[in-house]
PDB file of all heavy atoms in Angstrom:
ATOM      1  N   MET A 533      -2.514   4.873   1.418  1.00 98.00           N
ATOM      2  CA  MET A 533      -1.210   4.245   1.651  1.00 98.00           C
ATOM      3  C   MET A 533      -1.275   2.724   1.470  1.00 98.00           C
ATOM      4  O   MET A 533      -0.568   1.968   2.116  1.00 98.00           O
ATOM      5  CB  MET A 533      -0.601   4.654   2.989  1.00 98.00           C
ATOM      6  CG  MET A 533      -0.368   6.139   3.199  1.00 98.00           C
ATOM      7  SD  MET A 533       0.775   6.581   4.465  1.00 98.00           S
ATOM      8  CE  MET A 533       0.685   8.324   4.470  1.00 98.00           C
ATOM      9  N   SER A 534      -2.172   2.352   0.574  1.00 98.00           N
ATOM     10  CA  SER A 534      -2.409   0.837   0.371  1.00 98.00           C
ATOM     11  C   SER A 534      -1.094   0.124   0.123  1.00 98.00           C
ATOM     12  O   SER A 534      -0.975  -1.008   0.631  1.00 98.00           O
ATOM     13  CB  SER A 534      -3.296   0.688  -0.875  1.00 98.00           C
ATOM     14  OG  SER A 534      -4.623   1.159  -0.619  1.00 98.00           O
ATOM     15  N   SER A 535      -0.202   0.656  -0.674  1.00 98.00           N
ATOM     16  CA  SER A 535       0.897  -0.131  -1.075  1.00 98.00           C
ATOM     17  C   SER A 535       2.247   0.316  -0.446  1.00 98.00           C
ATOM     18  O   SER A 535       3.323  -0.229  -0.895  1.00 98.00           O
ATOM     19  CB  SER A 535       0.966  -0.295  -2.569  1.00 98.00           C
ATOM     20  OG  SER A 535       0.990   1.003  -3.186  1.00 98.00           O
ATOM     21  N   ASP A 536       2.273   1.155   0.533  1.00 98.00           N
ATOM     22  CA  ASP A 536       3.552   1.467   1.106  1.00 98.00           C
ATOM     23  C   ASP A 536       3.478   1.631   2.695  1.00 98.00           C
ATOM     24  O   ASP A 536       4.423   1.983   3.281  1.00 98.00           O
ATOM     25  CB  ASP A 536       4.360   2.640   0.547  1.00 98.00           C
ATOM     26  CG  ASP A 536       3.603   3.908   0.641  1.00 98.00           C
ATOM     27  OD1 ASP A 536       2.387   4.001   0.947  1.00 98.00           O
ATOM     28  OD2 ASP A 536       4.300   5.045   0.410  1.00 98.00           O
ATOM     29  N   ILE A 537       2.210   1.441   3.141  1.00 98.00           N
ATOM     30  CA  ILE A 537       2.164   1.515   4.675  1.00 98.00           C
ATOM     31  C   ILE A 537       3.108   0.562   5.331  1.00 98.00           C
ATOM     32  O   ILE A 537       3.432  -0.455   4.835  1.00 98.00           O
ATOM     33  CB  ILE A 537       0.628   1.177   5.070  1.00 98.00           C
ATOM     34  CG1 ILE A 537       0.410   1.625   6.507  1.00 98.00           C
ATOM     35  CG2 ILE A 537       0.282  -0.195   4.792  1.00 98.00           C
ATOM     36  CD1 ILE A 537       0.306   3.061   6.740  1.00 98.00           C
ATOM     37  N   PHE A 538       3.610   1.027   6.429  1.00 98.00           N
ATOM     38  CA  PHE A 538       4.607   0.261   7.247  1.00 98.00           C
ATOM     39  C   PHE A 538       5.939  -0.017   6.597  1.00 98.00           C
ATOM     40  O   PHE A 538       6.689  -0.936   7.026  1.00 98.00           O
ATOM     41  CB  PHE A 538       3.954  -1.143   7.746  1.00 98.00           C
ATOM     42  CG  PHE A 538       2.691  -0.939   8.505  1.00 98.00           C
ATOM     43  CD1 PHE A 538       1.481  -1.402   8.049  1.00 98.00           C
ATOM     44  CD2 PHE A 538       2.702  -0.201   9.676  1.00 98.00           C
ATOM     45  CE1 PHE A 538       0.308  -1.247   8.765  1.00 98.00           C
ATOM     46  CE2 PHE A 538       1.576  -0.087  10.398  1.00 98.00           C
ATOM     47  CZ  PHE A 538       0.330  -0.569   9.952  1.00 98.00           C
ATOM     48  N   SER A 539       6.134   0.683   5.477  1.00 98.00           N
ATOM     49  CA  SER A 539       7.516   0.567   4.798  1.00 98.00           C
ATOM     50  C   SER A 539       8.365   1.786   5.206  1.00 98.00           C
ATOM     51  O   SER A 539       9.601   1.754   4.795  1.00 98.00           O
ATOM     52  CB  SER A 539       7.370   0.433   3.267  1.00 98.00           C
ATOM     53  OG  SER A 539       6.972   1.645   2.731  1.00 98.00           O
ATOM     54  N   ARG A 540       7.895   2.719   5.915  1.00 98.00           N
ATOM     55  CA  ARG A 540       8.657   3.938   6.251  1.00 98.00           C
ATOM     56  C   ARG A 540       7.909   4.627   7.353  1.00 98.00           C
ATOM     57  O   ARG A 540       6.756   4.415   7.597  1.00 98.00           O
ATOM     58  CB  ARG A 540       8.801   4.893   5.106  1.00 98.00           C
ATOM     59  CG  ARG A 540       7.502   5.501   4.624  1.00 98.00           C
ATOM     60  CD  ARG A 540       7.744   6.702   3.730  1.00 98.00           C
ATOM     61  NE  ARG A 540       6.427   7.236   3.180  1.00 98.00           N
ATOM     62  CZ  ARG A 540       5.816   8.280   3.571  1.00 98.00           C
ATOM     63  NH1 ARG A 540       6.220   8.886   4.694  1.00 98.00           N
ATOM     64  NH2 ARG A 540       4.642   8.713   3.007  1.00 98.00           N
ATOM     65  N   PRO A 541       8.659   5.454   8.183  1.00 98.00           N
ATOM     66  CA  PRO A 541       7.999   6.276   9.251  1.00 98.00           C
ATOM     67  C   PRO A 541       7.085   7.306   8.572  1.00 98.00           C
ATOM     68  O   PRO A 541       7.428   7.708   7.415  1.00 98.00           O
ATOM     69  CB  PRO A 541       9.164   6.966   9.875  1.00 98.00           C
ATOM     70  CG  PRO A 541      10.403   6.265   9.607  1.00 98.00           C
ATOM     71  CD  PRO A 541      10.139   5.614   8.241  1.00 98.00           C
ATOM     72  N   VAL A 542       5.909   7.562   9.098  1.00 98.00           N
ATOM     73  CA  VAL A 542       4.931   8.512   8.502  1.00 98.00           C
ATOM     74  C   VAL A 542       4.686   9.475   9.566  1.00 98.00           C
ATOM     75  O   VAL A 542       4.505   9.207  10.788  1.00 98.00           O
ATOM     76  CB  VAL A 542       3.657   7.761   8.180  1.00 98.00           C
ATOM     77  CG1 VAL A 542       2.623   8.791   7.676  1.00 98.00           C
ATOM     78  CG2 VAL A 542       3.851   6.753   7.066  1.00 98.00           C
ATOM     79  N   ASP A 543       4.587  10.811   9.180  1.00 98.00           N
ATOM     80  CA  ASP A 543       4.211  11.840  10.073  1.00 98.00           C
ATOM     81  C   ASP A 543       2.700  11.945  10.088  1.00 98.00           C
ATOM     82  O   ASP A 543       2.050  12.689   9.357  1.00 98.00           O
ATOM     83  CB  ASP A 543       4.818  13.215   9.665  1.00 98.00           C
ATOM     84  CG  ASP A 543       4.471  14.289  10.649  1.00 98.00           C
ATOM     85  OD1 ASP A 543       3.668  14.072  11.585  1.00 98.00           O
ATOM     86  OD2 ASP A 543       4.950  15.413  10.513  1.00 98.00           O
ATOM     87  N   VAL A 544       2.091  11.127  10.947  1.00 98.00           N
ATOM     88  CA  VAL A 544       0.619  10.943  10.916  1.00 98.00           C
ATOM     89  C   VAL A 544      -0.047  12.243  11.209  1.00 98.00           C
ATOM     90  O   VAL A 544      -1.131  12.470  10.795  1.00 98.00           O
ATOM     91  CB  VAL A 544       0.170   9.811  11.908  1.00 98.00           C
ATOM     92  CG1 VAL A 544      -1.302   9.608  11.965  1.00 98.00           C
ATOM     93  CG2 VAL A 544       0.917   8.501  11.486  1.00 98.00           C
ATOM     94  N   SER A 545       0.663  13.083  12.038  1.00 98.00           N
ATOM     95  CA  SER A 545      -0.016  14.315  12.385  1.00 98.00           C
ATOM     96  C   SER A 545      -0.438  15.212  11.178  1.00 98.00           C
ATOM     97  O   SER A 545      -1.235  16.102  11.349  1.00 98.00           O
ATOM     98  CB  SER A 545       0.792  15.081  13.431  1.00 98.00           C
ATOM     99  OG  SER A 545       1.944  15.606  12.729  1.00 98.00           O
ATOM    100  N   LYS A 546       0.235  14.962  10.052  1.00 98.00           N
ATOM    101  CA  LYS A 546      -0.190  15.761   8.852  1.00 98.00           C
ATOM    102  C   LYS A 546      -1.452  15.355   8.128  1.00 98.00           C
ATOM    103  O   LYS A 546      -1.909  15.920   7.220  1.00 98.00           O
ATOM    104  CB  LYS A 546       1.045  15.732   7.798  1.00 98.00           C
ATOM    105  CG  LYS A 546       2.217  16.402   8.225  1.00 98.00           C
ATOM    106  CD  LYS A 546       3.260  16.339   7.154  1.00 98.00           C
ATOM    107  CE  LYS A 546       4.428  17.374   7.388  1.00 98.00           C
ATOM    108  NZ  LYS A 546       5.451  17.221   6.343  1.00 98.00           N
ATOM    109  N   TYR A 547      -1.948  14.240   8.604  1.00 98.00           N
ATOM    110  CA  TYR A 547      -3.009  13.623   7.917  1.00 98.00           C
ATOM    111  C   TYR A 547      -4.327  13.540   8.829  1.00 98.00           C
ATOM    112  O   TYR A 547      -4.239  13.319  10.025  1.00 98.00           O
ATOM    113  CB  TYR A 547      -2.745  12.129   7.534  1.00 98.00           C
ATOM    114  CG  TYR A 547      -1.538  12.018   6.562  1.00 98.00           C
ATOM    115  CD1 TYR A 547      -0.320  12.001   6.985  1.00 98.00           C
ATOM    116  CD2 TYR A 547      -1.821  11.919   5.217  1.00 98.00           C
ATOM    117  CE1 TYR A 547       0.777  11.923   6.100  1.00 98.00           C
ATOM    118  CE2 TYR A 547      -0.716  11.793   4.285  1.00 98.00           C
ATOM    119  CZ  TYR A 547       0.557  11.841   4.729  1.00 98.00           C
ATOM    120  OH  TYR A 547       1.604  11.650   3.925  1.00 98.00           O
ATOM    121  N   ASP A 548      -5.473  13.812   8.151  1.00 98.00           N
ATOM    122  CA  ASP A 548      -6.806  13.617   8.903  1.00 98.00           C
ATOM    123  C   ASP A 548      -7.169  12.147   8.744  1.00 98.00           C
ATOM    124  O   ASP A 548      -7.995  11.638   9.577  1.00 98.00           O
ATOM    125  CB  ASP A 548      -7.864  14.452   8.227  1.00 98.00           C
ATOM    126  CG  ASP A 548      -7.767  15.935   8.786  1.00 98.00           C
ATOM    127  OD1 ASP A 548      -7.068  16.143   9.750  1.00 98.00           O
ATOM    128  OD2 ASP A 548      -8.407  16.825   8.187  1.00 98.00           O
ATOM    129  N   CYS A 549      -6.650  11.468   7.677  1.00 98.00           N
ATOM    130  CA  CYS A 549      -7.023  10.093   7.452  1.00 98.00           C
ATOM    131  C   CYS A 549      -5.907   9.408   6.657  1.00 98.00           C
ATOM    132  O   CYS A 549      -5.444  10.031   5.584  1.00 98.00           O
ATOM    133  CB  CYS A 549      -8.352   9.966   6.849  1.00 98.00           C
ATOM    134  SG  CYS A 549      -8.830   8.241   6.428  1.00 98.00           S
ATOM    135  N   ILE A 550      -5.577   8.166   7.054  1.00 98.00           N
ATOM    136  CA  ILE A 550      -4.642   7.385   6.258  1.00 98.00           C
ATOM    137  C   ILE A 550      -5.395   6.028   6.077  1.00 98.00           C
ATOM    138  O   ILE A 550      -5.889   5.533   7.088  1.00 98.00           O
ATOM    139  CB  ILE A 550      -3.306   7.136   7.031  1.00 98.00           C
ATOM    140  CG1 ILE A 550      -2.536   8.461   6.976  1.00 98.00           C
ATOM    141  CG2 ILE A 550      -2.518   6.041   6.276  1.00 98.00           C
ATOM    142  CD1 ILE A 550      -1.320   8.506   8.009  1.00 98.00           C
ATOM    143  N   TYR A 551      -5.400   5.475   4.890  1.00 98.00           N
ATOM    144  CA  TYR A 551      -6.150   4.266   4.668  1.00 98.00           C
ATOM    145  C   TYR A 551      -5.518   3.400   3.602  1.00 98.00           C
ATOM    146  O   TYR A 551      -4.675   3.899   2.872  1.00 98.00           O
ATOM    147  CB  TYR A 551      -7.560   4.582   4.291  1.00 98.00           C
ATOM    148  CG  TYR A 551      -7.646   5.225   2.900  1.00 98.00           C
ATOM    149  CD1 TYR A 551      -7.929   4.320   1.813  1.00 98.00           C
ATOM    150  CD2 TYR A 551      -7.496   6.512   2.682  1.00 98.00           C
ATOM    151  CE1 TYR A 551      -8.059   4.861   0.565  1.00 98.00           C
ATOM    152  CE2 TYR A 551      -7.543   7.002   1.335  1.00 98.00           C
ATOM    153  CZ  TYR A 551      -7.855   6.172   0.297  1.00 98.00           C
ATOM    154  OH  TYR A 551      -7.916   6.720  -0.965  1.00 98.00           O
ATOM    155  N   GLY A 552      -5.958   2.167   3.554  1.00 98.00           N
ATOM    156  CA  GLY A 552      -5.535   1.247   2.560  1.00 98.00           C
ATOM    157  C   GLY A 552      -6.144  -0.103   2.629  1.00 98.00           C
ATOM    158  O   GLY A 552      -6.519  -0.569   3.729  1.00 98.00           O
ATOM    159  N   GLY A 553      -6.084  -0.872   1.541  1.00 98.00           N
ATOM    160  CA  GLY A 553      -6.379  -2.306   1.574  1.00 98.00           C
ATOM    161  C   GLY A 553      -5.129  -2.890   2.284  1.00 98.00           C
ATOM    162  O   GLY A 553      -4.019  -2.493   2.083  1.00 98.00           O
TER     163      GLY A 553
END
Side-chain angles (χ1 to χ4, degrees):
M533 300 199 185
S534 292
S535 52
D536 65 346
I537 192 73
F538 303 116
S539 71
R540 67 168 173 96
V542 174
D543 182 353
V544 178
S545 71
K546 289 183 167 180
Y547 298 84
D548 281 346
C549 178
I550 292 170
Y551 69 95

